[in-house]
Amino acid sequence: MIETLKTLCALNGVSGDEDAVRDYLRTQAEPYADAIRTDALGNLIVFKRGRRATGSKVLLCAHMDEVGLIVTRATEDGFLKFDFVGGVDRRVVLGKPVELGVDRVPGIVGMKAIHMLTAEERKKVPKTDSLYLDIGAASREEALSKVPLGTYGAFVGEPEELAQCFLEELDPELLERRKRRRKLGRRIFAGVVAAAMILLLVWVVLLETQPMKVEVTERLIIYEEREGPDET
């Protein structure tokens, strides 16, 4: 379970750009599913046929996405301007490393140097339009050649171990240790549901229970009973 969480947390999946997370969940479900498809909204729908209906239903939900940013324009001197995707606390983003696009172009969130700020500006939380991304480009053209407008960006962070683990019940060896990671708040539920999905699908087969439909969506993983064995 811990390794699954590490894998999920290493995947970039800003809202609207969850391909990597969805692909991983698909590989986890494929060995146990009768059919899998992705709909127009990016929802991953996994179907497992049971052998008889009981009228019972089971629902499990989890996010696939994470907060991040999206590039909106480039300045003449090669910096990228952006807007946030999701609720991001602007107080903690300065100096944060990010990865941009499928090529994972590295960048850093920055703003005007502190010695250039007024006393009043230093007291305030910086506005989004005062922030920029530095990717090492020297011009607008160079910046956009590496990172086109509309590119998603994900925050970068390595796992850290802290004391008094809330995960210790998942792994006794983690007693008095804790995993802290970007996206953990959302991905831990995706990991739990992915594991539960596998266990539940195996349970359906072994116990010859009701037909079951599994939907892994951008925000949901849904298990739903089908009314009869001939439905799709």
Side-chain angles (χ1 to χ4, degrees):
M1 185 64 208
I2 299 302
E3 292 305 314
T4 297
L5 289 177
K6 289 181 181 179
T7 300
L8 283 168
C9 287
L11 299 172
N12 291 338
V14 177
S15 302
D17 187 35
E18 302 93 341
D19 293 3
V21 182
R22 182 171 51 247
D23 290 346
Y24 174 77
L25 292 172
R26 184 185 184 111
T27 62
Q28 298 301 297
E30 277 180 332
Y32 310 96
D34 291 322
I36 300 181
R37 67 180 178 89
T38 302
D39 69 12
L41 296 178
N43 303 316
L44 181 64
I45 301 171
V46 183
F47 180 78
K48 176 64 183 180
R49 188 179 299 280
R51 301 191 180 180
R52 54 189 172 86
T54 67
S56 300
K57 295 182 179 181
V58 179
L59 172 65
L60 301 176
C61 304
H63 288 271
M64 285 200 306
D65 64 343
E66 62 179 295
V67 299
L69 51 86
I70 186 170
V71 175
T72 56
R73 64 184 179 90
T75 67
E76 291 301 323
D77 47 3
F79 296 116
L80 296 172
K81 305 296 284 186
F82 63 90
D83 202 352
F84 289 113
V85 178
V88 178
D89 188 346
R90 300 192 307 277
R91 297 173 299 176
V92 300
V93 298
L94 282 176
K96 289 285 188 182
V98 299
E99 293 177 335
L100 299 162
V102 295
D103 294 329
R104 294 197 168 196
V105 176
I108 297 289
V109 178
M111 65 173 292
K112 185 166 59 173
I114 190 169
H115 64 273
M116 299 179 67
L117 298 175
T118 66
E120 191 63 27
E121 287 176 326
R122 296 183 187 186
K123 299 177 183 178
K124 297 179 179 179
V125 176
K127 295 183 178 179
T128 303
D129 59 11
S130 70
L131 304 175
Y132 61 80
L133 290 171
D134 188 350
I135 61 170
S139 66
R140 181 177 186 275
E141 291 72 21
E142 182 183 357
L144 294 180
S145 69
K146 296 179 179 180
V147 182
L149 299 183
T151 298
Y152 287 97
F155 295 106
V156 177
E158 293 300 322
E160 296 181 17
E161 300 177 5
L162 303 177
Q164 300 305 317
C165 176
F166 68 90
L167 294 179
E168 62 191 37
E169 293 182 1
L170 301 179
D171 185 346
E173 295 182 1
L174 290 182
L175 187 62
E176 296 184 354
R177 299 168 60 202
R178 182 174 181 174
K179 296 292 182 183
R180 181 168 66 83
R181 170 77 176 188
R182 67 187 178 107
K183 303 178 277 194
L184 184 61
R186 289 175 178 242
R187 296 290 166 75
I188 190 171
F189 296 112
V192 169
V193 172
M197 175 177 65
I198 294 171
L199 292 174
L200 188 57
L201 292 178
V202 172
W203 175 78
V204 168
V205 174
L206 293 179
L207 298 184
E208 299 184 358
T209 57
Q210 68 271 21
M212 193 74 66
K213 176 184 177 183
V214 183
E215 294 185 12
V216 183
T217 74
E218 293 186 50
R219 294 184 178 273
L220 301 174
I221 298 185
I222 302 172
Y223 298 83
E224 179 180 317
E225 181 210 1
R226 309 303 284 177
E227 291 300 323
D230 294 327
E231 291 191 15
T232 59

